[in-house]
Amino acid sequence: MLYKLVSGLNSYQTSNVVVSLMGRDGAVGEKIESSLGVHVYYLGMSRGRPTFKSLVLLYRILKKERPDIVQGWMYHGNLLAFMSKILYSIKLPVVWNIRQSLPEINNEGRLTRFVIRINSLLSRFADAIVFNSRRSIDDHAAVGFARKNDVFIPNGFHLEELKSHPANKQNVRDEFGIDSKDIVVGMMARYDPIKDHVNFFNAAAILAKKKKNIKFLCVGSKVSPDNFEVVDQLSDLGVYDRFYLIGERKDAIRITQSFDVAVNSSMSEAFANVIGEAMACEVPCVVTDVGDSAYIVGNTGVVVNKADSRGLAEGIEKLVNAGIEERRRLGRLARKRIAQNFSLESVCHEYFNLYSYLINARK
Protein backbone atom coordinates (compact mmCIF):
# COMPACT_ATOMS: atom_id res chain seq x y z
CA MET A 1 0.00 0.00 0.00
CA LEU A 2 2.94 2.35 0.61
CA TYR A 3 4.11 1.71 -2.95
CA LYS A 4 0.61 2.34 -4.30
CA LEU A 5 0.25 5.55 -2.27
CA VAL A 6 3.56 6.98 -3.49
CA SER A 7 2.60 6.01 -7.04
CA GLY A 8 -0.79 7.73 -6.73
CA LEU A 9 0.65 10.90 -5.18
CA ASN A 10 2.92 11.30 -8.20
CA SER A 11 -0.16 12.32 -10.20
CA TYR A 12 -0.61 15.30 -7.85
CA GLN A 13 2.86 16.57 -8.83
CA THR A 14 4.14 16.15 -5.30
CA SER A 15 7.78 15.49 -4.55
CA ASN A 16 8.19 12.40 -2.39
CA VAL A 17 11.07 10.56 -0.74
CA VAL A 18 10.91 7.40 1.36
CA VAL A 19 13.03 6.63 4.41
CA SER A 20 13.47 2.94 5.22
CA LEU A 21 14.43 2.22 8.83
CA MET A 22 16.44 -0.84 7.88
CA GLY A 23 18.94 -1.70 5.16
CA ARG A 24 18.70 -2.28 1.45
CA ASP A 25 17.30 -5.82 1.78
CA GLY A 26 13.62 -5.49 0.88
CA ALA A 27 11.78 -5.70 -2.42
CA VAL A 28 9.48 -2.74 -1.76
CA GLY A 29 12.21 -0.12 -1.54
CA GLU A 30 13.80 -1.40 -4.73
CA LYS A 31 10.41 -1.37 -6.47
CA ILE A 32 9.70 2.22 -5.36
CA GLU A 33 13.06 3.38 -6.71
CA SER A 34 13.09 1.44 -9.98
CA SER A 35 9.41 1.76 -10.94
CA LEU A 36 8.52 5.20 -9.57
CA GLY A 37 11.85 7.01 -9.64
CA VAL A 38 11.36 7.99 -5.99
CA HIS A 39 14.53 8.17 -3.90
CA VAL A 40 14.69 5.78 -0.94
CA TYR A 41 17.02 6.47 1.97
CA TYR A 42 18.13 3.60 4.22
CA LEU A 43 18.91 4.17 7.91
CA GLY A 44 20.48 0.71 8.34
CA MET A 45 18.89 -0.03 11.72
CA SER A 46 18.75 -3.54 13.10
CA ARG A 47 15.17 -4.75 13.46
CA GLY A 48 13.45 -2.73 16.19
CA ARG A 49 16.69 -1.13 17.44
CA PRO A 50 17.26 2.58 16.70
CA THR A 51 20.82 3.81 17.04
CA PHE A 52 22.48 7.20 17.46
CA LYS A 53 23.90 6.80 13.95
CA SER A 54 20.41 6.26 12.47
CA LEU A 55 19.13 9.43 14.18
CA VAL A 56 22.06 11.41 12.78
CA LEU A 57 21.25 10.06 9.30
CA LEU A 58 17.59 11.00 9.74
CA TYR A 59 18.59 14.53 10.78
CA ARG A 60 20.76 14.90 7.68
CA ILE A 61 17.94 13.67 5.45
CA LEU A 62 15.52 16.18 6.99
CA LYS A 63 18.00 19.04 6.54
CA LYS A 64 18.59 18.06 2.93
CA GLU A 65 14.99 17.42 1.87
CA ARG A 66 13.29 20.13 4.00
CA PRO A 67 9.94 18.30 4.03
CA ASP A 68 6.55 20.00 4.29
CA ILE A 69 5.13 16.93 6.01
CA VAL A 70 6.33 13.56 7.33
CA GLN A 71 4.26 10.39 7.14
CA GLY A 72 5.13 7.54 9.52
CA TRP A 73 4.33 4.01 8.42
CA MET A 74 3.49 1.47 11.15
CA TYR A 75 4.59 1.57 14.78
CA HIS A 76 8.38 1.87 14.42
CA GLY A 77 8.05 4.30 11.53
CA ASN A 78 5.67 6.39 13.62
CA LEU A 79 8.31 6.80 16.32
CA LEU A 80 10.91 7.96 13.79
CA ALA A 81 8.34 10.35 12.31
CA PHE A 82 7.82 11.78 15.81
CA MET A 83 11.59 12.18 16.17
CA SER A 84 11.47 14.39 13.05
CA LYS A 85 9.67 17.03 15.11
CA ILE A 86 12.48 16.99 17.68
CA LEU A 87 15.34 16.80 15.19
CA TYR A 88 14.03 19.23 12.58
CA SER A 89 11.08 21.39 13.66
CA ILE A 90 8.38 21.13 16.28
CA LYS A 91 6.04 22.79 13.76
CA LEU A 92 6.58 20.06 11.14
CA PRO A 93 3.25 18.28 10.52
CA VAL A 94 3.61 14.59 11.30
CA VAL A 95 1.10 11.91 10.31
CA TRP A 96 1.14 8.41 11.71
CA ASN A 97 -0.20 5.29 10.04
CA ILE A 98 -1.60 2.23 11.87
CA ARG A 99 -2.06 -0.83 9.69
CA GLN A 100 -3.25 -3.59 12.01
CA SER A 101 -6.08 -4.28 14.39
CA LEU A 102 -5.25 -4.97 18.01
CA PRO A 103 -7.90 -7.23 19.54
CA GLU A 104 -5.54 -8.42 22.30
CA ILE A 105 -2.25 -6.58 22.85
CA ASN A 106 -0.90 -9.49 24.91
CA ASN A 107 -0.81 -11.58 21.72
CA GLU A 108 1.97 -9.34 20.45
CA GLY A 109 5.64 -9.96 21.16
CA ARG A 110 7.27 -8.23 24.13
CA LEU A 111 9.21 -5.71 22.03
CA THR A 112 6.18 -4.93 19.85
CA ARG A 113 4.05 -4.38 22.97
CA PHE A 114 6.65 -1.94 24.24
CA VAL A 115 6.69 -0.01 20.94
CA ILE A 116 2.87 0.09 20.88
CA ARG A 117 2.82 1.49 24.43
CA ILE A 118 5.29 4.21 23.44
CA ASN A 119 3.12 4.98 20.38
CA SER A 120 0.14 5.28 22.71
CA LEU A 121 1.90 7.76 25.01
CA LEU A 122 3.06 9.93 22.11
CA SER A 123 -0.09 9.66 19.97
CA ARG A 124 -1.50 13.02 21.09
CA PHE A 125 1.52 14.75 19.53
CA ALA A 126 0.80 13.35 16.04
CA ASP A 127 -1.09 15.83 13.85
CA ALA A 128 -3.15 12.95 12.47
CA ILE A 129 -3.22 9.17 12.81
CA VAL A 130 -4.42 7.31 9.73
CA PHE A 131 -6.04 3.93 10.37
CA ASN A 132 -6.80 1.60 7.46
CA SER A 133 -9.46 -0.20 9.54
CA ARG A 134 -12.46 1.15 11.44
CA ARG A 135 -12.16 -1.60 14.03
CA SER A 136 -8.50 -0.76 14.52
CA ILE A 137 -9.44 2.73 15.73
CA ASP A 138 -11.45 1.26 18.60
CA ASP A 139 -8.78 -1.36 19.36
CA HIS A 140 -6.09 1.28 19.73
CA ALA A 141 -8.28 3.67 21.70
CA ALA A 142 -8.71 0.83 24.20
CA VAL A 143 -4.94 0.83 24.86
CA GLY A 144 -4.70 4.59 25.23
CA PHE A 145 -4.28 6.05 21.75
CA ALA A 146 -5.60 9.61 21.41
CA ARG A 147 -8.94 9.88 19.59
CA LYS A 148 -8.83 13.58 18.76
CA ASN A 149 -6.78 13.14 15.61
CA ASP A 150 -7.73 9.74 14.14
CA VAL A 151 -8.62 9.44 10.45
CA PHE A 152 -9.99 6.41 8.62
CA ILE A 153 -8.57 5.87 5.12
CA PRO A 154 -8.92 2.32 3.78
CA ASN A 155 -6.54 0.52 1.46
CA GLY A 156 -6.98 1.22 -2.23
CA PHE A 157 -6.86 -0.96 -5.32
CA HIS A 158 -5.75 -0.25 -8.88
CA LEU A 159 -8.66 -1.67 -10.85
CA GLU A 160 -6.82 -1.56 -14.16
CA GLU A 161 -4.40 -4.17 -12.83
CA LEU A 162 -7.00 -6.23 -10.98
CA LYS A 163 -9.72 -7.86 -13.05
CA SER A 164 -11.18 -11.17 -14.08
CA HIS A 165 -8.89 -13.01 -16.52
CA PRO A 166 -10.30 -16.29 -17.95
CA ALA A 167 -7.06 -17.06 -19.81
CA ASN A 168 -5.01 -16.83 -16.62
CA LYS A 169 -7.60 -18.94 -14.84
CA GLN A 170 -7.10 -21.74 -17.36
CA ASN A 171 -3.32 -21.30 -17.53
CA VAL A 172 -2.93 -21.75 -13.79
CA ARG A 173 -5.10 -24.86 -13.89
CA ASP A 174 -2.95 -26.22 -16.70
CA GLU A 175 0.21 -25.41 -14.74
CA PHE A 176 -0.87 -27.54 -11.79
CA GLY A 177 -2.89 -30.17 -13.66
CA ILE A 178 -6.25 -29.12 -12.21
CA ASP A 179 -9.23 -30.34 -14.20
CA SER A 180 -11.48 -27.66 -15.68
CA LYS A 181 -14.45 -29.22 -13.83
CA ASP A 182 -12.76 -28.92 -10.44
CA ILE A 183 -13.58 -26.04 -8.12
CA VAL A 184 -10.51 -24.19 -6.88
CA VAL A 185 -10.69 -22.81 -3.34
CA GLY A 186 -7.70 -20.57 -2.76
CA MET A 187 -6.01 -18.91 0.17
CA MET A 188 -3.31 -16.26 -0.13
CA ALA A 189 -1.39 -15.85 3.15
CA ARG A 190 2.03 -16.40 4.66
CA TYR A 191 2.29 -19.31 7.09
CA ASP A 192 1.80 -17.61 10.44
CA PRO A 193 -0.40 -18.43 13.47
CA ILE A 194 -2.33 -15.18 12.95
CA LYS A 195 -3.44 -16.41 9.49
CA ASP A 196 -4.80 -19.64 11.06
CA HIS A 197 -4.04 -22.11 8.30
CA VAL A 198 -5.01 -24.86 10.74
CA ASN A 199 -8.57 -23.54 10.64
CA PHE A 200 -8.53 -23.64 6.83
CA PHE A 201 -6.99 -27.12 6.73
CA ASN A 202 -9.64 -28.47 9.11
CA ALA A 203 -12.40 -26.87 7.06
CA ALA A 204 -10.92 -28.44 3.93
CA ALA A 205 -10.97 -31.88 5.58
CA ILE A 206 -14.68 -31.45 6.34
CA LEU A 207 -15.40 -30.38 2.76
CA ALA A 208 -13.28 -33.10 1.17
CA LYS A 209 -15.60 -35.76 2.57
CA LYS A 210 -18.58 -34.16 0.84
CA LYS A 211 -17.14 -32.77 -2.38
CA LYS A 212 -14.83 -34.82 -4.58
CA ASN A 213 -14.22 -32.03 -7.11
CA ILE A 214 -12.79 -29.37 -4.75
CA LYS A 215 -9.07 -28.60 -4.91
CA PHE A 216 -7.28 -26.25 -2.51
CA LEU A 217 -4.59 -23.86 -3.70
CA CYS A 218 -2.41 -22.22 -1.01
CA VAL A 219 -0.03 -19.37 -1.80
CA GLY A 220 2.34 -17.60 0.57
CA SER A 221 5.67 -17.66 2.33
CA LYS A 222 6.39 -21.07 3.94
CA VAL A 223 3.22 -22.62 2.49
CA SER A 224 5.15 -25.12 0.42
CA PRO A 225 6.01 -28.83 0.31
CA ASP A 226 9.30 -28.20 2.13
CA ASN A 227 7.40 -27.02 5.22
CA PHE A 228 7.05 -30.37 6.94
CA GLU A 229 4.72 -28.92 9.57
CA VAL A 230 2.17 -28.09 6.88
CA VAL A 231 2.66 -31.40 5.08
CA ASP A 232 2.22 -33.36 8.32
CA GLN A 233 -0.98 -31.49 9.19
CA LEU A 234 -2.54 -32.16 5.79
CA SER A 235 -1.38 -35.77 5.78
CA ASP A 236 -2.86 -36.40 9.23
CA LEU A 237 -6.17 -34.93 7.98
CA GLY A 238 -6.03 -37.15 4.89
CA VAL A 239 -6.26 -34.24 2.42
CA TYR A 240 -2.67 -33.71 1.30
CA ASP A 241 -3.55 -34.99 -2.19
CA ARG A 242 -6.22 -32.26 -2.49
CA PHE A 243 -3.78 -29.41 -1.83
CA TYR A 244 -1.42 -27.48 -4.07
CA LEU A 245 1.18 -25.74 -1.88
CA ILE A 246 3.02 -23.30 -4.11
CA GLY A 247 4.77 -20.95 -1.69
CA GLU A 248 5.48 -17.29 -2.39
CA ARG A 249 4.84 -16.16 -5.96
CA LYS A 250 5.60 -12.99 -7.88
CA ASP A 251 2.50 -13.63 -10.01
CA ALA A 252 0.13 -13.62 -7.03
CA ILE A 253 -2.60 -11.74 -8.91
CA ARG A 254 -2.51 -14.29 -11.75
CA ILE A 255 -2.95 -17.05 -9.16
CA THR A 256 -5.83 -15.17 -7.52
CA GLN A 257 -7.53 -14.96 -10.91
CA SER A 258 -7.63 -18.76 -10.98
CA PHE A 259 -9.69 -19.05 -7.78
CA ASP A 260 -13.38 -19.94 -7.85
CA VAL A 261 -13.63 -19.04 -4.16
CA ALA A 262 -11.11 -17.07 -2.08
CA VAL A 263 -10.72 -17.70 1.65
CA ASN A 264 -9.27 -15.62 4.46
CA SER A 265 -9.26 -17.58 7.73
CA SER A 266 -7.28 -15.12 9.86
CA MET A 267 -7.49 -14.75 13.62
CA SER A 268 -6.79 -11.02 13.25
CA GLU A 269 -6.65 -8.48 10.42
CA ALA A 270 -6.93 -4.75 9.92
CA PHE A 271 -7.70 -4.35 6.23
CA ALA A 272 -6.70 -7.47 4.31
CA ASN A 273 -5.40 -6.55 0.85
CA VAL A 274 -5.84 -10.11 -0.39
CA ILE A 275 -9.60 -9.85 0.13
CA GLY A 276 -9.89 -6.65 -1.89
CA GLU A 277 -7.63 -8.04 -4.62
CA ALA A 278 -9.73 -11.19 -4.97
CA MET A 279 -12.95 -9.15 -5.06
CA ALA A 280 -11.52 -6.85 -7.73
CA CYS A 281 -10.73 -9.99 -9.75
CA GLU A 282 -14.42 -10.98 -9.42
CA VAL A 283 -13.74 -13.83 -7.00
CA PRO A 284 -16.34 -14.20 -4.19
CA CYS A 285 -14.79 -14.51 -0.73
CA VAL A 286 -15.35 -16.40 2.52
CA VAL A 287 -13.76 -14.47 5.39
CA THR A 288 -13.57 -14.59 9.17
CA ASP A 289 -15.18 -11.71 11.02
CA VAL A 290 -11.98 -9.95 12.05
CA GLY A 291 -10.80 -6.39 11.46
CA ASP A 292 -12.77 -4.79 8.63
CA SER A 293 -13.16 -8.02 6.62
CA ALA A 294 -16.96 -8.13 6.96
CA TYR A 295 -17.18 -4.46 5.96
CA ILE A 296 -15.00 -5.04 2.88
CA VAL A 297 -17.00 -8.05 1.68
CA GLY A 298 -20.44 -6.58 2.39
CA ASN A 299 -23.15 -8.64 0.70
CA THR A 300 -20.85 -10.10 -1.96
CA GLY A 301 -19.55 -13.14 -0.04
CA VAL A 302 -19.78 -15.03 3.23
CA VAL A 303 -18.60 -13.99 6.70
CA VAL A 304 -18.01 -16.58 9.45
CA ASN A 305 -16.69 -16.59 13.00
CA LYS A 306 -12.95 -16.89 13.49
CA ALA A 307 -11.45 -20.20 14.68
CA ASP A 308 -14.61 -22.06 13.62
CA SER A 309 -13.60 -24.72 11.10
CA ARG A 310 -17.09 -26.11 10.71
CA GLY A 311 -18.52 -22.65 10.11
CA LEU A 312 -15.76 -21.94 7.59
CA ALA A 313 -16.47 -25.21 5.78
CA GLU A 314 -20.18 -24.35 5.64
CA GLY A 315 -19.38 -20.90 4.25
CA ILE A 316 -17.21 -22.32 1.48
CA GLU A 317 -19.79 -25.01 0.75
CA LYS A 318 -22.45 -22.33 0.40
CA LEU A 319 -20.56 -20.68 -2.45
CA VAL A 320 -19.63 -24.01 -4.02
CA ASN A 321 -23.27 -25.14 -4.01
CA ALA A 322 -24.41 -21.78 -5.39
CA GLY A 323 -23.11 -22.77 -8.80
CA ILE A 324 -20.95 -21.05 -11.37
CA GLU A 325 -23.48 -18.42 -12.48
CA GLU A 326 -24.22 -17.28 -8.93
CA ARG A 327 -20.51 -17.09 -8.16
CA ARG A 328 -20.03 -14.98 -11.27
CA ARG A 329 -22.86 -12.69 -10.18
CA LEU A 330 -21.36 -12.31 -6.73
CA GLY A 331 -17.95 -11.73 -8.30
CA ARG A 332 -19.30 -8.86 -10.41
CA LEU A 333 -20.91 -7.37 -7.31
CA ALA A 334 -17.62 -7.73 -5.43
CA ARG A 335 -15.67 -5.84 -8.09
CA LYS A 336 -18.33 -3.13 -8.16
CA ARG A 337 -18.07 -2.75 -4.38
CA ILE A 338 -14.29 -2.33 -4.57
CA ALA A 339 -14.67 0.23 -7.38
CA GLN A 340 -17.23 2.24 -5.44
CA ASN A 341 -15.54 2.17 -2.03
CA PHE A 342 -11.86 1.32 -2.32
CA SER A 343 -10.41 2.59 -5.59
CA LEU A 344 -6.77 3.66 -5.39
CA GLU A 345 -7.63 7.03 -6.92
CA SER A 346 -10.11 7.91 -4.18
CA VAL A 347 -7.78 6.71 -1.41
CA CYS A 348 -4.83 8.75 -2.73
CA HIS A 349 -7.12 11.78 -2.99
CA GLU A 350 -8.02 11.40 0.68
CA TYR A 351 -4.35 11.28 1.66
CA PHE A 352 -3.56 14.32 -0.49
CA ASN A 353 -6.42 16.31 1.02
CA LEU A 354 -5.26 15.40 4.54
CA TYR A 355 -1.67 16.43 3.80
CA SER A 356 -2.80 19.70 2.17
CA TYR A 357 -5.01 20.57 5.14
CA LEU A 358 -2.25 19.96 7.69
CA ILE A 359 0.37 21.88 5.71
CA ASN A 360 -1.95 24.87 5.19
CA ALA A 361 -2.99 24.82 8.86
CA ARG A 362 0.64 25.43 9.88
CA LYS A 363 1.13 28.46 7.62
Side-chain angles (χ1 to χ4, degrees):
M1 186 59 218
L2 174 61
Y3 170 84
K4 290 190 288 186
L5 175 60
V6 175
S7 173
L9 289 175
N10 279 347
S11 66
Y12 289 91
Q13 297 182 330
T14 60
S15 176
N16 305 292
V17 297
V18 174
V19 179
S20 170
L21 275 62
M22 299 174 67
R24 195 181 283 270
D25 58 354
V28 178
E30 181 181 335
K31 186 178 180 182
I32 288 173
E33 286 190 297
S34 61
S35 299
L36 304 180
V38 171
H39 186 68
V40 179
Y41 292 95
Y42 296 90
L43 298 184
M45 291 167 45
S46 299
R47 185 174 293 277
R49 297 182 182 278
T51 62
F52 178 74
K53 180 181 178 181
S54 65
L55 294 179
V56 171
L57 284 173
L58 178 61
Y59 170 74
R60 289 175 177 171
I61 293 166
L62 292 166
K63 292 290 286 185
K64 178 182 178 181
E65 297 293 344
R66 303 177 63 187
D68 295 304
I69 195 162
V70 171
Q71 166 75 74
W73 204 262
M74 301 190 289
Y75 300 123
H76 294 83
N78 292 339
L79 295 183
L80 267 291
F82 171 77
M83 288 300 300
S84 299
K85 278 184 175 289
I86 298 174
L87 294 170
Y88 182 67
S89 170
I90 198 68
K91 295 183 178 181
L92 177 67
V94 167
V95 182
W96 284 6
N97 203 300
I98 306 288
R99 310 199 61 76
Q100 72 171 70
S101 58
L102 200 64
E104 294 183 29
I105 192 171
N106 290 332
N107 288 340
E108 304 292 333
R110 183 169 59 86
L111 181 59
T112 301
R113 290 200 305 272
F114 174 74
V115 174
I116 292 172
R117 295 297 187 190
I118 299 298
N119 270 243
S120 173
L121 292 172
L122 298 176
S123 60
R124 64 191 180 92
F125 297 109
D127 294 273
I129 304 177
V130 175
F131 292 85
N132 70 340
S133 159
R134 295 170 187 250
R135 188 171 295 185
S136 180
I137 296 176
D138 295 331
D139 288 349
H140 285 79
V143 295
F145 275 70
R147 287 298 306 262
K148 65 183 179 67
N149 52 3
D150 57 61
V151 181
F152 168 64
I153 303 180
N155 289 357
F157 301 92
H158 198 307
L159 292 168
E160 289 302 311
E161 298 175 358
L162 299 166
K163 60 183 68 175
S164 174
H165 200 302
N168 282 350
K169 187 182 185 78
Q170 187 57 51
N171 289 340
V172 171
R173 286 172 178 265
D174 291 344
E175 179 180 346
F176 298 108
I178 301 173
D179 192 276
S180 59
K181 295 180 181 179
D182 288 336
I183 294 173
V184 175
V185 176
M187 180 162 150
M188 189 85 58
R190 70 185 185 277
Y191 190 66
D192 185 287
I194 206 72
K195 300 301 181 182
D196 204 1
H197 283 78
V198 173
N199 183 21
F200 180 50
F201 296 163
N202 286 330
I206 294 170
L207 281 168
K209 295 176 182 178
K210 298 181 179 181
K211 304 287 183 180
K212 301 299 182 184
N213 64 331
I214 295 182
K215 298 296 173 63
F216 302 93
L217 188 53
C218 287
V219 190
S221 175
K222 299 182 181 179
V223 190
S224 55
D226 58 1
N227 185 335
F228 298 122
E229 184 177 338
V230 170
V231 173
D232 288 346
Q233 288 176 43
L234 295 176
S235 298
D236 290 344
L237 290 168
V239 291
Y240 181 66
D241 62 334
R242 296 287 198 98
F243 272 78
Y244 298 85
L245 309 173
I246 64 173
E248 199 165 11
R249 298 276 296 225
K250 292 182 178 180
D251 59 344
I253 298 305
R254 173 175 167 266
I255 303 297
T256 297
Q257 290 164 337
S258 74
F259 296 168
D260 294 299
V261 176
V263 174
N264 187 284
S265 62
S266 292
M267 293 288 290
S268 176
E269 290 281 2
F271 189 113
N273 274 318
V274 292
I275 296 174
E277 289 167 353
M279 291 171 65
C281 292
E282 299 188 20
V283 180
C285 298
V286 181
V287 302
T288 48
D289 189 9
V290 295
D292 277 14
S293 296
Y295 165 65
I296 300 167
V297 169
N299 64 348
T300 72
V302 179
V303 180
V304 302
N305 293 328
K306 66 179 181 180
D308 179 4
S309 300
R310 188 162 296 280
L312 184 60
E314 290 172 354
I316 298 170
E317 187 177 15
K318 181 178 180 180
L319 290 183
V320 170
N321 290 342
I324 187 169
E325 291 303 323
E326 177 62 10
R327 288 195 298 273
R328 284 174 177 169
R329 185 188 73 83
L330 290 172
R332 290 190 294 268
L333 281 177
R335 180 176 173 81
K336 183 178 179 181
R337 181 167 176 79
I338 295 298
Q340 290 177 339
N341 297 281
F342 310 111
S343 72
L344 182 59
E345 291 76 12
S346 65
V347 166
C348 288
H349 189 64
E350 289 189 59
Y351 272 99
F352 181 77
N353 284 345
L354 174 64
Y355 297 159
S356 298
Y357 170 78
L358 293 175
I359 291 169
N360 290 330
R362 291 300 176 97
K363 290 181 178 179

